[in-house]
Amino acid sequence: MIGLVSLLPFILLSFYTVPNLEDYAESIIPGVWWHVKFLYLTYDGRFFTSFMFAALNPLKYQHFTAYQWIPLVLIVSLFLSFFLFIRTFLFSNKMNALCLSAIILSLYFIRNPNLAYSFYYMISSYVYMLPSILFIVYLSISYRLIESIQSNFPLLLLSSFLIFCIAGGNELYLIPLLLWLMFLWFKNYRQDLHKHAELFALSIALFCAFFIVFTSPGTQRFVAENKTPITLNNLFDAANLSFNFTLQQLRSWYSCNLLLLFLSLLIIYFFQSIDLNKTANWSLRKSSFLFFLSFVLGLFIILPYTFAAGGKVSVSYTQIYIIPYLYYTLIGVLFLATVSKHIPKLPRKKVISIGLLTFIILSGYLDKNNQIKLAYQDLISGSAKAYYNEVNEQISRSLKAPKSIELCFLKNKPRQIFSGVYFNQETENFHLAYRLYYHIDELIVKECP
Amino acid sequence: MIIKNKKPYILSVLILIASLTFKYKTGSFFTISKQSEIEVVKYEMKKRKKDITLFSLSNSCTNINDLGKALKTKIISQAPPCVNTLVNPQTPSDSVVYIVLQKALEYTTYNKSKLSNKDERITWLYHMNQEERIDSFALVFQKINEAYLITNILYIESFLTVHCK
């Protein structure tokens, strides 16, 4: 029930999604191979993301309805990736796994650092959310591969492919991918699983994927222009920034967050009522150490970004925390699974379930940063619909291909689906793309009464 | 030593070959190849030539190429060190013209309201690719507004000064 109530506004908001200016810029590059090659040579090394811009981009065919399906597909895919994750690491019962997936998804939505960039803005969702979904699938698939008694080539093939998609999707996954591979090698060594050959192939895939990413002429030019030489001092500064910014973000997640506390209790209650598999039955000391280690290492996920930004990184770039938040959500759930075995069992009574649900709803309602509540506000206030109508009116006028068009700055900006990458003082460089997309001669954007 | 499970090793070799093929096909094996560089410049030119604004501009001019040459000469004559990349002989000259015109026009169109000040001037901080580039430079069109720019497009170079950032 919590899952359904939490997810409903985000599903409804999908139908009010409209293209952003950067989406147009990526939709005027012709072809698939040329699109990938052009971005690789001139912009960055994210070859998989470029492929998605080129191949799975409804705007290239002026299919505005299909554009609205993107957030919906991403939400369902994230849900399914959680489902696979739970069935791999926690328990196999399908119905329970579906319920828990919905709760984790709600948990992820509640404090998501930037929902518009996560789901409702095609270019960004392909850069941040899609690699994240594939990363969760990769964790599950590669773990199953290592655990399998017989050698499983299809799983190996899929894991290698996923490494390319994730690394070529977002370079911020460099550290999580490396950490996970190290963990798999460690597990193989400790449990004598005889999966050296498979792990060797995965290591080669990881090396090749990041070789392609970091030797991109676009990336190299960016690094050269930033003039941030790879020195110990610069690395230390970047690590320090990464650590501080992540802590700053986490503070809003953990500090005095009643909603998170009650949801955690609900998850513990849930774990206590079902049979967890042996993976979740680690000793508290051992798992606490592992979780602490992955948590500390996770503080440096945004290191490649802070390093490349050369000290100019801003906390307002909330989109970069989409990836660390997913990482922490998963660590948190695994930790709760372990903890649930070591704390006194909560009695299985209706009154406890109802009490917990009441507290969750109440704290959710009172929490001013609760993204689910804000999503409902966007829907109920009519802001999302007004935004959709406003942009649609601009699209239909632009589609008539006039010689000259005057557009107004947007009045409606729903918090959850408006990315900010629309006509404003900072997005001037996208005007040409907009004009080329709609074949407009002259474009004037002004403040309207 | 007999390798029992050969498939992962075969896959590793295939992954290596595929990765190197990708690098080769994109023309970025060691450094970006001349061929790929030309392809990129050609594409940029084609994209800008499709820009209807420039077509309308070129229609309003008797000879867009002469205008381009005049603009380029002006930039070279002032020759601040930061514009070397722009006037690099390797870059096709008309791409320079298209970029400058397009940027100038975009600026005037967008900042129309700002041009009502007494000290009218259009400044476009030109960036080769994205913001924060160190070789950025400013193109300043003195005492000119959009309408004036279009009607006097043939004399655009006389309003232009170039400054390093």
Side-chain angles (χ1 to χ4, degrees), chain A residues 28-30 33-34 37-38 40-42 47 151 153 156-157 160 164 197-198 200-201 204-205 208 211-212 215-217 221 225 409 424-425 428 431-432 435-436 439-444, chain B residues 5 7-9 11-12 15-16 19-20 22-23 25-28 32 36 39-40 43-44 47-48 50-53 56 102 106-107 109-112 114 124 129-134 146:
Chain A
I28 53 170
I29 307 173
W33 170 245
W34 170 249
K37 183 176 172 178
F38 178 69
Y40 186 74
L41 292 173
T42 59
F47 56 90
S151 157
F153 189 69
L156 176 63
L157 204 62
S160 310
F164 272 87
E198 282 83 354
F200 176 76
I204 290 289
C208 288
F211 170 73
I212 293 176
T215 57
S216 141
R221 200 174 301 139
E225 278 152 17
F409 290 114
N424 60 48
Q425 296 293 334
E428 193 185 330
H431 285 204
L432 173 64
R435 290 210 318 264
L436 289 177
H439 309 288
I440 296 168
D441 293 14
E442 189 188 18
L443 169 68
I444 298 166
Chain B
N5 189 4
K7 280 182 182 174
Y9 295 107
L11 180 67
S12 305
I15 287 171
L16 266 173
S19 304
L20 296 177
F22 179 86
K23 291 295 290 176
K25 285 277 181 188
T26 50
S28 59
I32 183 164
S36 290
E39 279 178 45
V40 169
Y43 169 71
E44 281 291 351
K47 191 170 89 179
R48 289 177 193 287
K50 273 186 186 171
D51 181 358
I52 303 158
T53 308
S56 61
Q102 183 257 322
E106 256 184 23
Y107 187 88
T109 307
Y110 190 75
N111 289 291
K112 206 173 177 181
K114 283 188 183 173
W124 173 259
N129 194 2
Q130 289 289 307
E131 55 273 30
E132 309 287 352
R133 298 271 306 218
I134 44 140
E146 188 196 10

Side-chain angles (χ1 to χ4, degrees), chain A residues 58 63-70:
Chain A
H63 211 303
F64 297 100
T65 316
Y67 184 90
Q68 295 176 320
W69 286 90
I70 295 173

Side-chain angles (χ1 to χ4, degrees), chain B residues 45-63:
Chain B
M45 283 168 60
K46 199 177 157 194
K47 191 170 89 179
R48 289 177 193 287
K49 277 177 183 171
K50 273 186 186 171
D51 181 358
I52 303 158
T53 308
L54 292 174
F55 276 128
S56 61
L57 264 181
S58 63
N59 289 338
S60 71
C61 297
T62 46
N63 194 336

Side-chain angles (χ1 to χ4, degrees), chain B:
Chain B
M1 192 177 88
I2 301 163
I3 300 170
K4 280 184 196 168
N5 189 4
K6 285 180 191 166
K7 280 182 182 174
Y9 295 107
I10 296 169
L11 180 67
S12 305
V13 175
L14 289 176
I15 287 171
L16 266 173
I17 294 170
S19 304
L20 296 177
T21 309
F22 179 86
K23 291 295 290 176
Y24 175 74
K25 285 277 181 188
T26 50
S28 59
F29 205 76
F30 294 109
T31 173
I32 183 164
S33 70
K34 203 80 214 155
Q35 182 61 32
S36 290
E37 209 167 357
I38 290 168
E39 279 178 45
V40 169
V41 172
K42 272 186 179 169
Y43 169 71
E44 281 291 351
M45 283 168 60
K46 199 177 157 194
K47 191 170 89 179
R48 289 177 193 287
K49 277 177 183 171
K50 273 186 186 171
D51 181 358
I52 303 158
T53 308
L54 292 174
F55 276 128
S56 61
L57 264 181
S58 63
N59 289 338
S60 71
C61 297
T62 46
N63 194 336
I64 187 94
N65 291 327
D66 285 352
L67 169 68
K69 277 178 199 162
L71 257 179
K72 195 176 173 184
T73 312
K74 177 85 180 189
I75 296 172
I76 294 172
S77 68
Q78 297 192 355
C82 55
V83 297
N84 285 344
T85 44
L86 188 75
V87 292
N88 188 324
Q90 303 288 344
T91 317
S93 63
D94 56 343
S95 72
V96 175
V97 178
Y98 279 114
I99 291 167
V100 171
L101 286 180
Q102 183 257 322
K103 291 296 178 195
L105 201 84
E106 256 184 23
Y107 187 88
T108 50
T109 307
Y110 190 75
N111 289 291
K112 206 173 177 181
S113 55
K114 283 188 183 173
L115 294 172
S116 56
N117 296 334
K118 274 184 184 172
D119 181 26
E120 284 178 337
R121 63 181 221 165
I122 302 166
T123 305
W124 173 259
L125 189 62
Y126 182 80
H127 306 300
M128 283 303 283
N129 194 2
Q130 289 289 307
E131 55 273 30
E132 309 287 352
R133 298 271 306 218
I134 44 140
D135 54 356
S136 302
F137 60 92
L139 298 176
V140 181
F141 296 91
Q142 298 280 357
K143 291 182 181 170
I144 188 168
N145 61 28
E146 188 196 10
Y148 197 74
L149 176 71
I150 290 172
T151 50
N152 293 283
I153 193 78
L154 277 173
Y155 310 105
I156 189 171
E157 83 278 3
S158 56
F159 310 116
L160 175 72
T161 52
V162 189
H163 304 277
C164 285
K165 189 182 162 188

Side-chain angles (χ1 to χ4, degrees), chain A residues 223-244:
Chain A
V223 172
E225 278 152 17
N226 260 292
K227 298 234 175 284
T228 314
I230 305 174
T231 61
L232 261 181
N233 216 13
N234 286 337
L235 274 172
F236 179 77
D237 285 347
N240 193 25
L241 265 179
S242 177
F243 184 82
N244 282 324

Side-chain angles (χ1 to χ4, degrees), chain A residues 73-252:
Chain A
V73 171
L74 287 170
I75 292 171
V76 173
S77 306
L78 185 62
F79 176 79
L80 291 176
S81 68
F82 283 143
F83 176 72
L84 182 67
F85 182 85
I86 291 163
R87 293 199 70 207
T88 306
F89 295 101
L90 297 172
F91 52 83
S92 54
N93 183 293
K94 283 183 188 170
M95 193 43 92
N96 287 337
L98 282 174
C99 289
L100 188 60
S101 305
I103 297 174
I104 299 177
L105 198 55
S106 311
L107 190 69
Y108 184 63
F109 273 127
I110 286 170
R111 277 287 194 282
N112 186 298
N114 195 327
L115 273 163
Y117 274 73
S118 300
F119 298 101
Y120 302 103
Y121 168 11
M122 183 186 70
I123 297 299
S124 172
S125 63
Y126 283 176
V127 172
Y128 296 101
M129 192 38 68
L130 189 62
S132 304
I133 293 167
L134 296 176
F135 181 65
I136 304 172
V137 176
Y138 167 70
L139 291 178
S140 312
I141 298 287
S142 56
Y143 192 81
R144 285 177 183 218
L145 171 75
I146 299 302
E147 286 266 288
S148 62
I149 299 158
Q150 296 259 309
S151 157
N152 191 331
F153 189 69
L155 275 190
L156 176 63
L157 204 62
L158 182 58
S159 299
S160 310
F161 176 72
L162 285 171
I163 285 179
F164 272 87
C165 296
I166 301 160
N170 196 317
E171 63 286 340
L172 288 184
Y173 269 107
L174 168 68
I175 291 172
L177 279 171
L178 271 173
L179 286 179
W180 182 249
L181 192 65
M182 279 161 63
F183 169 75
L184 292 181
W185 273 106
F186 176 74
K187 186 175 167 62
N188 179 60
Y189 167 74
R190 282 300 292 264
Q191 297 177 2
D192 210 10
L193 297 170
H194 301 289
K195 291 288 191 304
H196 298 83
E198 282 83 354
L199 284 171
F200 176 76
L202 291 185
S203 306
I204 290 289
L206 191 64
F207 171 78
C208 288
F210 280 112
F211 170 73
I212 293 176
V213 171
F214 289 115
T215 57
S216 141
T219 308
Q220 284 177 338
R221 200 174 301 139
F222 176 77
V223 172
E225 278 152 17
N226 260 292
K227 298 234 175 284
T228 314
I230 305 174
T231 61
L232 261 181
N233 216 13
N234 286 337
L235 274 172
F236 179 77
D237 285 347
N240 193 25
L241 265 179
S242 177
F243 184 82
N244 282 324
F245 285 137
T246 315
L247 271 190
Q248 210 166 328
Q249 290 291 315
L250 280 175
R251 200 174 55 183
S252 69

Side-chain angles (χ1 to χ4, degrees), chain A residues 306-374:
Chain A
T306 49
F307 182 77
K312 283 178 277 183
V313 68
S314 157
V315 257
S316 62
Y317 288 173
T318 45
Q319 63 268 32
I320 61 161
Y321 299 105
I322 293 170
I323 290 171
Y325 264 56
L326 191 73
Y327 182 85
Y328 288 123
T329 306
L330 295 178
I331 290 179
V333 171
L334 286 178
F335 187 69
L336 291 177
T338 311
V339 165
S340 66
K341 288 279 165 188
H342 299 275
I343 60 170
K345 267 202 165 187
L346 293 162
R348 293 189 68 181
K349 283 182 181 168
K350 237 182 189 171
V351 64
I352 294 206
S353 319
I354 295 170
L356 264 177
L357 280 177
T358 314
F359 279 125
I360 287 168
I361 293 165
L362 262 177
S363 53
Y365 180 73
L366 293 172
D367 188 341
K368 64 177 186 325
N369 293 318
N370 177 3
Q371 304 292 332
I372 297 171
K373 191 175 93 177
L374 296 173

